[in-house]
Each structure stands twice: as structure tokens, then as C-alpha cells.
Amino acid sequence: MTSDDGTVDPGVWRALESRATQGAKEARVAVLVQLVPPAGVPEGSGDPGARLTTLERETEELQRDLMEHLDRLGVTSPPRTLALANAVAVELTAEQIRSVAQRPDVRRIVPAEPKHVAT
């Protein structure tokens, strides 16, 4: 069930295996699909709202092909765009993960796990 090129984090495969052993018919796992290149925050001292709008437009353009690919794969959970990271949060099956991992615009697929940051 693994990917040899390192695009898919091993934690993704472990999460899928765990769901499959729990009896899920078609196991899905929440992942972050990180794209290349990372989106950049426009430089300048202009209006922060305008800079954010520019970043969101740039990210939407960078992610358009991936979103269409997810639609063709029949992804049922709505993907969520993460503009600052140029990533997409989505639930995928093993087959869908393999397909997405082969795309040249995908840098990494990692588990979408909540992280606790100690302060």
C-alpha cells in the first residue's frame, strides 16, 4: 500500500491500514496535499486585504488542475484550500492517494492531523 518515491508520508498509509482493520469498506483518510511551488505572500506595504486577495487568486490558479483531478477521481468530501501553505485538505482513498501522488505539481501528501503546540 506504500509509495516508494517519498511523496506520500508513511503516516498516511498507517492511517489507511488502521481504518481498514476497523472494517471500513472503502477506507478514507484526511490528508494535506502540498503543492509546488509554495504560494508566496505578495510583498509590499500595501493594503493587507488586497495582498491576501492576490495570494488567494494565485493559490486558486495553482490548485485549479488538482481540484479538477480530484473531481475526476470522484472525491466525495469537499476539498478545502489552504492558501498560505498552497495545500488542499481532503479525504482520499488509497487509490486516490496513489493517483494524486503521481502528479508533478504535488510535493507531498501528509496526514491531516491536529497538532498541539505547547506555548
Side-chain angles (χ1 to χ4, degrees):
M1 195 185 278
T2 63
S3 172
D4 294 332
D5 70 357
T7 302
V8 181
D9 184 277
V12 171
W13 302 124
R14 284 192 299 272
L16 275 167
E17 288 171 8
S18 173
R19 293 222 170 46
T21 59
Q22 294 171 2
K25 182 178 177 186
E26 188 176 41
R28 298 181 189 286
V29 64
V31 297
L32 294 178
V33 180
Q34 301 169 337
L35 300 171
V36 290
V41 177
E43 293 191 29
S45 58
D47 174 31
R51 291 172 54 208
L52 180 58
T53 300
T54 300
L55 173 65
E56 289 170 339
R57 271 195 307 258
E58 176 186 327
T59 303
E60 182 180 328
E61 184 65 31
L62 290 169
Q63 295 177 357
R64 178 169 290 135
D65 288 342
L66 173 64
M67 294 298 206
E68 291 172 359
H69 185 81
L70 293 173
D71 190 49
R72 285 190 304 274
L73 290 174
V75 171
T76 56
S77 70
R80 195 178 84 192
T81 296
L82 305 170
L84 290 176
N86 192 19
V88 174
V90 65
E91 288 186 4
L92 299 175
T93 65
E95 183 179 323
Q96 292 166 336
I97 290 167
R98 284 188 199 94
S99 178
V100 170
Q102 293 176 14
R103 295 179 53 84
D105 58 344
V106 171
R107 181 169 58 94
R108 191 103 165 108
I109 301 174
V110 298
E113 302 170 336
K115 302 286 184 186
H116 175 74
V117 179
T119 56

